Amino acid sequence: AQKVTQAQTEISVVEKEDVTLDCVYETRDTTYYLFWYKQPPSGELVFLIRRNSFDEQNEISGRYSWNFQKSTSSFNFTITASQVVDSAVYFCALSEIFTTRDNYGQNFVFGPGTRLSVLP
Amino acid sequence: DAGVIQSPRHEVTEMGQEVTLRCKPISGHDYLFWYRQTMMRGLELLIYFNNNVPIDDSGMPEDRFSAKMPNASFSTLKIQPSEPRDSAVYFCASRTFPDGSNTEAFFGQGTRLTVV
């Protein structure tokens, strides 16, 4: 089962519109971390935000805002007044802590991504 | 710090050849991840290491793929023999947990592999 779901494969908006990118995750851990990354056409992966499972406060950074709701296992990302430079693929990611008899680790799993196109 | 360094940036090879991708993580980071990105499958986690020890390699597609981390500053991902369907961008990432808190994964620029 996919741990991180981003149901929107592609979204197109016109510049200055607001757009929300959805992310739904699945985990049995009580302690976990969520992230958003941006991948512009140049290909690099750019970190945007991280959130731990104990912090449900929403966050705003300029035109970006994030809404974390544990009750619905969602961590949605909103861009206000979108700009052409926001055109990119956006990934949501989940990091879980696990302990087995032989191992301890923290994975880092990405959703399939949402391709956002902002048209002038 | 120079960030995560991957080499080569581009690799073109013929089917059947051995390919080795290299990664130098950020100094002091104790986790290293290898990902493969394709249009069809997105960003797949192949394997990750903690303190040079492989923790989870369940994402490695086949026995043709192998990864090593001989020391804290170097890792390789090898494909032998390579096949056209291995063509993808391969990313390496590293992270750490200062004071028990969590950080993001820092990514290299990726290696674009083309197998013809």
Side-chain angles (χ1 to χ4, degrees), chain A residues 49-97:
Chain A
I49 190 173
R50 68 173 173 270
R51 175 68 73 232
N52 73 55
S53 53
F54 298 108
D55 182 2
E56 285 196 73
Q57 273 194 329
N58 293 331
E59 181 155 338
I60 298 175
S61 175
R63 296 185 297 108
Y64 295 170
S65 62
W66 290 268
N67 180 271
F68 176 31
Q69 292 197 349
K70 286 180 75 170
S71 59
T72 55
S73 297
S74 65
F75 186 41
N76 297 336
F77 172 31
T78 297
I79 302 175
T80 303
S82 60
Q83 300 176 1
V84 173
V85 293
D86 295 327
S87 297
V89 180
Y90 291 86
F91 293 95
C92 182
L94 167 70
S95 179
E96 302 166 294
I97 302 171

Side-chain angles (χ1 to χ4, degrees), chain B residues 52-95:
Chain B
N52 314 337
V53 175
I55 300 299
D56 185 356
D57 65 355
S58 59
M60 296 285 262
E62 300 170 36
D63 290 346
R64 299 184 296 107
F65 285 69
S66 62
K68 294 182 179 178
M69 193 164 185
N71 57 62
S73 59
F74 183 65
S75 177
T76 59
L77 178 67
K78 185 177 294 186
I79 309 172
Q80 165 64 17
S82 58
E83 297 183 2
R85 60 194 169 115
D86 301 330
S87 298
V89 178
Y90 291 81
F91 285 99
C92 175
S94 70
R95 69 195 293 221

Side-chain angles (χ1 to χ4, degrees), chain B residues 1-115:
Chain B
D1 200 313
V4 177
I5 300 173
Q6 292 186 244
S7 64
R9 291 291 309 278
H10 302 273
E11 177 80 36
V12 180
T13 190
E14 291 186 348
M15 183 174 63
Q17 296 297 307
E18 177 180 295
V19 175
T20 299
L21 311 182
R22 297 173 175 81
C23 176
K24 176 176 166 45
I26 293 173
S27 177
H29 281 194
D30 46 6
Y31 277 82
L32 184 140
F33 301 80
W34 282 101
Y35 293 87
R36 177 174 69 175
Q37 185 176 31
T38 60
M39 288 294 293
M40 292 298 294
R41 302 175 72 92
L43 265 169
E44 299 174 273
L45 176 60
L46 301 179
I47 184 172
Y48 71 97
F49 297 82
N50 179 18
N51 291 320
N52 314 337
V53 175
I55 300 299
D56 185 356
D57 65 355
S58 59
M60 296 285 262
E62 300 170 36
D63 290 346
R64 299 184 296 107
F65 285 69
S66 62
K68 294 182 179 178
M69 193 164 185
N71 57 62
S73 59
F74 183 65
S75 177
T76 59
L77 178 67
K78 185 177 294 186
I79 309 172
Q80 165 64 17
S82 58
E83 297 183 2
R85 60 194 169 115
D86 301 330
S87 298
V89 178
Y90 291 81
F91 285 99
C92 175
S94 70
R95 69 195 293 221
T96 187
F97 300 93
D99 305 320
S101 63
N102 192 287
T103 72
E104 67 272 24
F106 294 79
F107 281 79
Q109 294 286 83
T111 295
R112 181 174 296 278
L113 173 65
T114 303
V115 183

Side-chain angles (χ1 to χ4, degrees), chain A:
Chain A
Q2 198 162 40
K3 288 183 174 288
V4 181
T5 302
Q6 295 179 256
Q8 305 145 309
T9 306
E10 293 191 36
I11 300 176
S12 286
V13 298
V14 177
E15 206 169 18
K16 298 183 183 177
E17 285 185 7
D18 298 347
V19 58
T20 295
L21 310 182
D22 298 333
C23 172
V24 174
Y25 61 92
E26 178 186 329
T27 180
R28 282 182 274 186
D29 289 0
T30 55
T31 302
Y32 53 90
Y33 302 86
L34 296 163
F35 303 81
W36 276 94
Y37 280 79
K38 173 183 180 179
Q39 188 176 40
S42 51
E44 72 272 25
L45 282 153
V46 179
F47 164 73
L48 296 177
I49 190 173
R50 68 173 173 270
R51 175 68 73 232
N52 73 55
S53 53
F54 298 108
D55 182 2
E56 285 196 73
Q57 273 194 329
N58 293 331
E59 181 155 338
I60 298 175
S61 175
R63 296 185 297 108
Y64 295 170
S65 62
W66 290 268
N67 180 271
F68 176 31
Q69 292 197 349
K70 286 180 75 170
S71 59
T72 55
S73 297
S74 65
F75 186 41
N76 297 336
F77 172 31
T78 297
I79 302 175
T80 303
S82 60
Q83 300 176 1
V84 173
V85 293
D86 295 327
S87 297
V89 180
Y90 291 86
F91 293 95
C92 182
L94 167 70
S95 179
E96 302 166 294
I97 302 171
F98 69 90
T99 304
T100 66
R101 187 182 64 186
D102 301 317
N103 277 322
Y104 166 86
Q106 301 205 26
N107 63 3
F108 204 97
V109 179
F110 283 82
T114 296
R115 181 177 299 276
L116 173 65
S117 299
V118 181
L119 308 174

